[in-house]
Amino acid sequence: MSTDKVHMWESQYASGDTSWHLDTVNDKLIKHMGELVGNARNGEVLHRTILVPLCGRTKDMIHLYNQGHTVVGCEWVDSVCAQFFTENNIPFTRSQLEGVEGSLYQSEDGRMRIFQCDFLLLSPELVRTKFDSVLDVQSLSSINPRDRKQYVRAVRSLLQDEFRYLLVTIEYEPFAHRGRPHSISYNAVKELFGSFSNLKFVAQLPAAPPLKPNWKENVFSMISGTEDRVQYWQARWATGQSQWHSQEPHKFLVKYLDDLKNGQDKIRIFLPMCGKAGDLMWLYNQGHTVVGVEGVPFVVEQFFRENNLEHDKTSLEADNINGWRYRSKDGRLTIFACDFFLVTPGMVGPVDAVYDRGALEAINIPDRIPYVQIMKSLLGKDFRYILNGYEYDDNVFQGPPRHLPRDQVFNLFKDFCDVDILEEVDEDRERCERFNLEWMVKVIYSIKPDYS
């Protein structure tokens, strides 16, 4: 049962305080209709069964209904349900729900229904159907944050095995506003939906009136499955949650560059999951040949544009990879914009050195062994490899950056490398508090060929 009470919503409607209601169809629905219902092919007519939680009197339901879809809403306030059908000239019937306090409002053709009840009490048994799609425009932002997990469990129980979900949320700075609509970050959305859906960040837009212009509306698309690992980082960059980025070279790269050079004047160095890090240009300007991989193409575009670096852009279709190769005109700086786990030795070629500022600790834990196997295939005969990793109490925080225990590092590389710890650094209190941690240690590893 919801933490909020129905009389709270009834009083808002009674006082006319319904600023969330639009007299027109939401432009985000119109623009991203394909994300909600899919794209028709070869004259196919798509008729979906669509759930609209906390629907109120939204015109979005009429828009979907007029396109031939079956639309099912849920609205707690009884008078609002009746008003919706009346003002849209849709003949309807009303019947009492069984086992739940509330009513069912239904059009004569059965394609428009509104369950007048607490949304958290909806169940497949009550609704008697499962949904192809969900349209959630600020519903998740409207409920009490304590109810979010229960809300998502309720939605999930109503979904078909194959589903689509269009979600619009609000995001603003912490403590910038109290009460509804509640801010929801990308990470919070991922935590709620990531275990059963492939979450894609679609857009971040200035909030539309009557919301405050400095707030953001985030648009997400979900389909059944699990999240594409590249999509997560794309969303982090797009929403400005790229706190790891720095235009300056990383201090441990500068400190241990001589170790990476291994007595050579110029080296071919690889930076996995490089973003647009200052490390890239710093190494390039010293005359080294630099190769990076970054999963988010627009970040690579930004890098070359911000550094005024002329380059060529080539599709990776010949390698059966969805991505691009960006290469400076002199050939000394190359970034592959693709999923790291699709990289091959034929693309990158043998490298003299690797500087891993945070890639191994950023990826999902089950991906660590495949990651190391890919790195092994890229390394030259007498390589040098500097690895950064964090250790902390992962019962409190699960990353990223993810806890990378030293015994795991030694085990991951033991079959072909010697691993040594160069230094350990305790992180300052401010950084620990950012992740609600009591302690956090940065460990710097030196990895070399095992000549034994």
Side-chain angles (χ1 to χ4, degrees):
M1 182 173 290
S2 297
T3 303
D4 293 331
K5 301 303 178 185
V6 66
H7 64 76
M8 177 189 72
W9 296 103
E10 288 173 336
S11 63
Q12 285 200 248
Y13 274 106
S15 65
D17 182 13
T18 57
S19 58
W20 63 83
H21 175 70
L22 300 178
D23 291 325
T24 59
V25 179
N26 194 295
D27 60 353
K28 297 165 193 67
L29 170 60
I30 295 173
K31 184 174 182 180
H32 302 294
M33 191 72 175
E35 303 284 0
L36 180 67
V37 301
N39 296 307
R41 297 178 181 177
N42 301 322
E44 176 188 13
V45 178
L46 299 175
H47 288 156
R48 304 298 193 200
T49 302
I50 302 174
L51 174 65
V52 185
L54 284 61
C55 60
R57 297 160 34 233
T58 176
K59 295 296 184 182
D60 298 347
M61 292 180 53
I62 294 297
H63 179 73
L64 295 169
Y65 177 76
N66 287 340
Q67 293 197 359
H69 303 292
T70 297
V71 186
V72 180
C74 186
E75 169 55 48
W76 209 349
V77 180
D78 192 25
S79 60
V80 173
C81 301
Q83 184 180 357
F84 170 82
F85 282 92
T86 301
E87 68 187 10
N88 289 292
N89 298 312
I90 300 175
F92 68 95
T93 60
R94 177 190 178 194
S95 58
Q96 291 298 308
L97 295 174
E98 296 181 6
V100 172
E101 184 179 349
S103 303
L104 172 61
Y105 287 78
Q106 184 167 246
S107 63
E108 290 182 345
D109 63 3
R111 285 199 305 107
M112 177 71 79
R113 286 179 281 161
I114 298 181
F115 285 83
Q116 180 267 310
C117 65
D118 182 348
F119 178 80
L120 299 187
L121 300 181
L122 282 189
S123 66
E125 294 75 24
L126 181 65
V127 178
R128 298 181 182 177
T129 190
K130 291 226 173 178
F131 295 95
D132 304 306
S133 305
V134 179
L135 174 64
D136 182 336
V137 180
Q138 306 301 357
S139 298
L140 185 60
S141 298
S142 298
I143 64 172
N144 192 305
R146 288 178 289 180
D147 291 337
R148 286 175 182 170
K149 289 184 179 180
Q150 189 177 352
Y151 174 96
V152 173
R153 284 195 296 269
V155 171
R156 185 179 183 183
S157 74
L158 300 170
L159 295 173
Q160 296 276 15
D161 292 339
E162 300 289 329
F163 65 85
R164 291 179 171 272
Y165 199 128
L166 184 63
L167 171 67
V168 182
T169 64
I170 285 292
E171 186 171 7
Y172 46 78
E173 291 297 319
F175 311 113
H177 173 74
R178 293 192 176 188
R180 296 188 307 274
H182 301 283
S183 178
I184 308 177
S185 68
Y186 171 82
N187 281 342
V189 172
K190 180 178 182 294
E191 182 179 345
L192 288 166
F193 294 94
S195 65
F196 66 94
S197 66
N198 183 343
L199 177 67
K200 180 175 74 173
F201 181 84
V202 177
Q204 185 176 75
L205 308 166
L211 300 173
K212 297 181 180 179
N214 60 327
W215 293 2
K216 302 296 182 183
E217 283 190 279
N218 292 333
V219 182
F220 301 92
S221 168
M222 288 175 263
I223 59 174
S224 47
T226 54
E227 184 183 39
D228 183 312
R229 52 190 163 227
V230 173
Q231 289 291 344
Y232 171 77
W233 297 105
Q234 177 181 327
R236 291 287 299 267
W237 281 103
T239 57
Q241 298 180 63
S242 54
Q243 299 90 341
W244 63 86
H245 171 66
S246 173
Q247 294 181 336
E248 299 300 319
H250 195 236
K251 64 179 180 180
F252 293 116
L253 171 61
V254 176
K255 184 173 183 178
Y256 293 112
L257 181 60
D258 285 342
D259 294 63
L260 291 167
K261 289 168 64 177
N262 190 28
Q264 300 181 70
D265 183 39
K266 305 299 180 199
I267 58 173
R268 193 165 189 269
I269 184 168
F270 181 55
L271 280 67
M273 303 180 198
C274 60
K276 54 178 182 176
D279 304 339
L280 295 160
M281 282 303 295
W282 186 77
L283 289 164
Y284 175 78
N285 288 334
Q286 294 200 29
H288 303 295
T289 298
V290 185
V291 182
V293 173
E294 169 54 46
V296 183
F298 74 75
V299 175
V300 183
E301 296 271 3
Q302 289 176 353
F303 169 79
F304 281 93
R305 183 173 63 250
E306 291 169 1
N307 288 286
N308 298 313
L309 200 58
E310 293 188 9
H311 63 283
D312 296 315
K313 177 182 177 181
T314 308
S315 171
L316 296 175
E317 286 184 4
D319 297 295
N320 295 315
I321 293 173
N322 180 21
W324 302 88
R325 184 190 70 189
Y326 295 77
R327 177 172 288 171
S328 62
K329 291 291 187 179
D330 62 4
R332 282 200 304 106
L333 200 158
T334 302
I335 301 179
F336 294 94
C338 65
D339 184 345
F340 173 85
F341 291 92
L342 301 179
V343 167
T344 66
M347 291 167 55
V348 176
V351 296
D352 303 313
V354 175
Y355 186 71
D356 183 335
R357 178 188 169 185
L360 182 57
E361 66 187 8
I363 61 175
N364 294 324
I365 291 174
D367 291 331
R368 286 177 175 172
I369 292 176
Y371 174 93
V372 172
Q373 292 304 309
I374 290 172
M375 296 302 294
K376 180 181 179 181
S377 73
L378 304 178
L379 296 170
K381 183 178 180 180
D382 196 26
F383 69 88
R384 294 294 184 267
Y385 190 143
I386 299 295
L387 170 69
N388 292 250
Y390 275 116
E391 293 181 334
Y392 56 78
D393 182 357
D394 60 352
N395 291 313
V396 177
F397 173 67
Q398 288 77 47
R402 293 180 171 86
H403 172 55
L404 184 59
R406 61 193 69 194
D407 60 341
Q408 186 174 85
V409 173
F410 282 95
N411 286 329
L412 284 169
F413 291 93
K414 68 180 181 181
D415 291 340
F416 65 101
C417 297
D418 283 332
V419 181
D420 294 306
I421 294 176
L422 294 174
E423 65 176 287
E424 303 175 40
V425 180
D426 291 326
E427 290 294 318
D428 59 34
R429 175 53 51 191
E430 181 179 352
R431 183 163 180 80
C432 292
E433 288 179 349
R434 178 180 158 201
F435 302 119
N436 296 317
L437 293 167
E438 292 294 325
W439 60 274
M440 197 173 189
V441 177
K442 167 80 81 173
V443 184
I444 311 300
Y445 300 89
S446 169
I447 303 173
K448 303 175 185 178
D450 181 359
Y451 296 114
S452 61

